[in-house]
Amino acid sequence: MHTSIPIHIDELRVGMFIQLPLSWMRHPFPTSNFRITSIEQISVLRGLGLTTLSYVPGKSLLRAASSVQQTNAHQHPSAQTGVATEAPTKSGTTSLPPTLRQPDCLERFQEASNTYQEVTGLVAQQPMPARMQAENLVQSCVTELIGLDSCVIRLLSECRSSAAASHAVNVMVLSLLLGQTLKMDARQLADLGLAALLHDIGKISMPLHISEPGARLQPAQLQWYRGHVGESVALGQQMDLPSDVLMAIAQHHERLDGSGYPLGLQGEDLFGGGQILALANAYDRLCNPLQGQSALTPHEAVSTLYTQQQHCFDAEVLGAFIRMMGVYPPGSLVQLIDGRHALVTKVNPQHPLRPMVLAHAPGQDSEPLDLSVMRELGVRRSLRPEQLPRVVLDALLPGTRICYYFERAAALPAGGVL
């Protein structure tokens, strides 16, 4: 468990994970435990009338020194002179944090994956501490997400977490983004994110060749595999999860037309949160498959959901997902109008046809391009990996596993393309 220490209200910085000594009904945040993601949140915290609160160094991700200085310049003379203000330690003295740079999406994804693995190690014997860790992770993601006025979905490379942890975090991130697109409030997002994170937790009782099969399963094995839904619900009950969370977990393999499992529910029997989770889970499994299936590119996965599986999902949910991911989701390989090959790295839902890409040019370093601000350039077509020369694939380095996170969208400059 991470240790918390008291901190004065004037010492707050963006990136700190804090614990408020107030019930959630006495402050405007969706939870009392979260990571500070903006200067505006610090202003709200200072208006609560608190003198001290708890700070958790082990869960904190501090920004660059310049951000710290901007946040506290009116209270800390050292910031005005360009000297970074140091973080408090348990002894009450100060010491410079090991890193003062803004953590990137890969770090946050890795932290979430590590937390998920800790939860799976705890849940069988200590279900309530496991629930607390899961809730803290989800609440910090919700707080971070709702603090962004607009965001982009970013492709990650070199994800080093296990396949199970990566899948859980991917589905959580996509579910939260989709829930926000569908105008869910903070409390609904927290329940949805918790269900998404824990939807496969029942697999911990299964051997690896059943829970994460690399080849097609025999009928008896497939039935065992499908039992993970009930096992996940049972563990959720041991964690005393809210009913909406349990229902979403129970329905993450159900389909609108009744073709899903374990109960073959359809239509009005399905829960909204369960449909969001089911869609996010289905998309990730198309890109990162099990049971010997071939991986689809993100572009192919979106196309498959729309053209072949639209009867399986709620039309509003599916439409919102496609708008959110764009025509060329992160991880798609494309050819640009000028003939260059490129990897889609980020998508801003406000500009679905003009993603950010990493373009390859022979004999040169790959070039990052934001197509939303380049009138003369666009995407000609989507490609499969086998359609690209080996040298291009080696240069663009699309990962073997598609992983996503979100970050603040840059403001569109004058002359940007809509």
Side-chain angles (χ1 to χ4, degrees):
M1 300 294 289
H2 294 284
T3 301
S4 64
I5 58 176
I7 184 173
H8 194 274
I9 193 73
D10 289 341
E11 297 294 329
L12 293 179
R13 298 173 178 80
V14 172
M16 285 183 169
F17 191 97
I18 61 167
Q19 299 172 335
L20 294 176
L22 302 172
S23 72
W24 67 270
M25 296 182 67
R26 296 181 58 195
H27 60 75
F29 301 102
T31 175
S32 297
N33 307 314
F34 61 91
R35 185 180 299 118
I36 299 171
T37 59
S38 69
I39 295 174
E40 290 74 19
Q41 288 179 345
I42 294 177
S43 297
V44 174
L45 288 165
R46 287 179 176 143
L48 295 178
L50 297 173
T51 302
T52 61
L53 43 78
S54 295
Y55 158 54
V56 185
K59 291 187 174 183
S60 297
L61 301 170
L62 295 182
R63 285 186 173 179
S66 59
S67 297
V68 176
Q69 292 160 11
Q70 292 171 8
T71 304
N72 296 289
H74 65 285
Q75 283 144 340
H76 297 283
S78 58
Q80 298 172 1
T81 59
V83 180
T85 306
E86 298 174 337
T89 64
K90 295 180 183 179
S91 65
T93 60
T94 58
S95 61
L96 194 65
T99 176
L100 282 174
R101 60 185 175 83
Q102 169 66 26
D104 63 16
C105 292
L106 182 59
E107 289 178 67
R108 298 200 293 275
F109 186 95
Q110 189 65 56
E111 179 192 18
S113 299
N114 293 342
T115 298
Y116 177 78
Q117 291 176 309
E118 292 174 7
V119 169
T120 60
L122 277 176
V123 66
Q125 301 299 322
Q126 302 181 63
M128 296 313 293
R131 172 182 170 171
M132 288 181 61
Q133 286 212 27
E135 285 182 329
N136 285 341
L137 168 60
V138 173
Q139 296 287 11
S140 67
C141 290
V142 170
T143 301
E144 182 180 5
L145 182 60
I146 64 177
L148 303 178
D149 46 6
S150 62
C151 67
V152 297
I153 306 169
R154 177 176 172 179
L155 174 72
L156 304 180
S157 61
E158 301 179 6
C159 297
R160 294 190 173 91
S161 53
S162 70
S166 293
H167 174 66
V169 176
N170 254 356
V171 173
M172 177 190 70
V173 167
L174 291 173
S175 295
L176 288 175
L177 288 166
L178 183 52
Q180 186 187 50
T181 299
L182 292 167
K183 309 301 182 183
M184 281 186 163
D185 62 31
R187 184 58 55 183
Q188 292 172 316
L189 286 174
D191 283 349
L192 175 62
L194 191 59
L197 181 70
L198 301 176
H199 74 279
D200 273 350
I201 200 165
K203 289 183 177 181
I204 64 171
S205 63
M206 299 178 176
L208 187 60
H209 74 283
I210 299 295
S211 64
E212 299 289 327
R216 293 190 180 277
L217 299 175
Q218 298 300 315
Q221 295 174 320
L222 182 59
Q223 191 66 23
W224 189 2
Y225 171 84
R226 290 183 169 182
H228 79 268
V229 177
E231 294 293 335
S232 296
V233 172
L235 283 174
Q237 290 172 327
Q238 292 179 34
M239 286 186 276
D240 197 25
L241 297 179
S243 59
D244 283 357
V245 176
L246 293 174
M247 193 177 299
I249 292 173
Q251 295 185 6
H252 78 270
H253 278 292
E254 300 287 357
R255 297 293 184 262
L256 193 69
D257 62 352
S259 63
Y261 65 87
L263 299 179
L265 301 177
Q266 57 183 309
E268 295 181 357
D269 293 329
L270 297 177
F271 171 63
Q275 277 286 281
I276 293 173
L277 173 50
L279 180 56
N281 182 61
Y283 172 82
D284 191 65
R285 282 308 184 204
L286 290 173
C287 296
N288 303 300
L290 299 174
Q291 303 182 25
Q293 298 163 335
S294 298
L296 300 184
T297 67
H299 173 79
E300 290 176 316
V302 166
S303 178
T304 296
L305 289 170
Y306 182 72
T307 61
Q308 300 178 32
Q309 299 183 20
Q310 60 176 291
H311 54 282
C312 296
F313 304 101
D314 178 85
E316 181 184 3
V317 173
L318 180 58
F321 182 78
I322 292 172
R323 290 192 301 273
M324 177 185 84
M325 297 301 292
V327 177
Y328 310 104
S332 299
L333 291 163
V334 298
Q335 185 178 38
L336 303 179
I337 290 175
D338 64 5
R340 284 184 290 175
H341 298 117
L343 173 69
V344 178
T345 57
K346 301 180 187 179
V347 167
N348 186 334
Q350 297 179 13
H351 314 291
L353 293 174
R354 293 186 165 275
M356 284 154 271
V357 303
L358 190 65
H360 174 264
Q364 302 177 25
D365 291 336
S366 297
E367 180 183 7
L369 302 173
D370 186 350
L371 301 185
S372 69
V373 296
M374 303 180 72
R375 293 183 181 276
E376 75 285 0
L377 198 56
V379 175
R380 174 179 294 169
R381 59 172 177 154
S382 176
L383 300 170
R384 287 194 56 78
E386 57 266 26
Q387 294 177 278
L388 273 69
R390 182 76 251 175
V391 65
V392 177
L393 283 178
D394 289 342
L396 296 178
L397 294 176
T400 57
R401 188 185 304 154
I402 299 294
C403 296
Y404 295 128
Y405 209 80
F406 55 88
E407 65 183 15
R408 186 182 300 277
L412 189 66
V417 179
L418 296 179

